[in-house]
Amino acid sequence: MKQTYSGPVTIVGDNIDTDQIFPGRFLELTDPKEIGALCLCGVDENIAPSFPQGGILVAGRNFGCGSSREHAPIALLNMGAGAVLADSFARIFYRNAINLGLPAVTCPGLRDRVAPGDRVSVDLEAGTVTVESTGEVLPCDRMGAQAQRILEAGGIKPLMRKRVESGEIG
């Protein structure tokens, strides 16, 4: 089971809502590349074009507030985000992210401990984030076993497919 994620950091602020992550005026788009290219354009149009594949988005409080649209985590995944770390998440965004296979980890205070481009490593099992440039290890919320299983499968739908195919559920 994949339990670690690492990459360079991109930092955003507090109260980033789902319309800033993926504006409603683009909801008719279906091409994953187009969706990813517009991610976070409500915050800064330059984020998605320069976001590194597997990069880690670090946010402040209440990330993903607003509507319950699944497009927000879909856009983050298609932008190339390996994980999102925040002081706190809106509940519905958090569940949508996990269900779609995007690690969303609560790590209060991380944003104040990193700079854009710093590399961090997240260990879901240990509940830690390591700032690679300084070696500082910060605590983060540990993810439950079921959420980890969902992430390992690539989302809730792939997990359920595996369970049906294996005969675990019928």
Side-chain angles (χ1 to χ4, degrees):
M1 177 184 317
K2 182 173 181 178
Q3 298 190 11
T4 59
Y5 298 85
S6 64
V9 166
T10 298
I11 302 171
V12 295
D14 294 325
N15 300 310
I16 302 297
D17 66 41
T18 54
D19 204 52
Q20 290 173 290
I21 299 168
F22 192 71
R25 67 183 181 273
F26 301 126
L27 292 178
E28 76 281 353
L29 297 176
T30 58
D31 180 351
K33 286 186 181 187
E34 283 183 282
I35 292 168
L38 294 166
C39 187
L40 293 165
C41 69
V43 175
D44 180 340
E45 292 180 358
N46 297 312
I47 293 175
S50 63
F51 198 88
Q53 189 65 31
I56 308 293
L57 186 68
V58 174
R61 294 181 316 278
N62 202 26
F63 186 81
C65 57
S67 74
S68 62
R69 70 177 66 137
E70 289 180 327
H71 291 77
I74 289 169
L76 288 160
L77 285 164
N78 285 295
M79 179 180 71
V84 179
L85 310 178
D87 287 351
S88 63
F89 292 94
R91 182 182 56 82
I92 293 173
F93 172 87
Y94 179 84
R95 285 310 311 175
N96 283 338
I98 299 300
N99 287 341
L100 289 164
L102 176 64
V105 182
T106 303
C107 188
L110 175 64
R111 187 179 57 168
D112 298 329
R113 310 300 280 223
V114 294
D118 281 354
R119 288 188 62 86
V120 297
S121 296
V122 184
D123 186 325
L124 297 181
E125 184 176 31
T128 60
V129 174
T130 302
V131 182
E132 294 179 9
S133 61
T134 64
E136 183 176 16
V137 178
L138 302 165
C140 61
D141 285 359
R142 292 185 64 178
M143 195 161 288
Q146 181 63 13
Q148 287 186 33
R149 281 191 290 277
I150 292 169
L151 290 173
E152 184 199 49
I156 192 77
K157 287 180 183 178
L159 176 64
M160 296 310 291
R161 248 185 245 112
K162 283 182 185 180
R163 292 179 68 192
V164 168
E165 290 169 1
S166 72
E168 182 182 340
I169 58 174

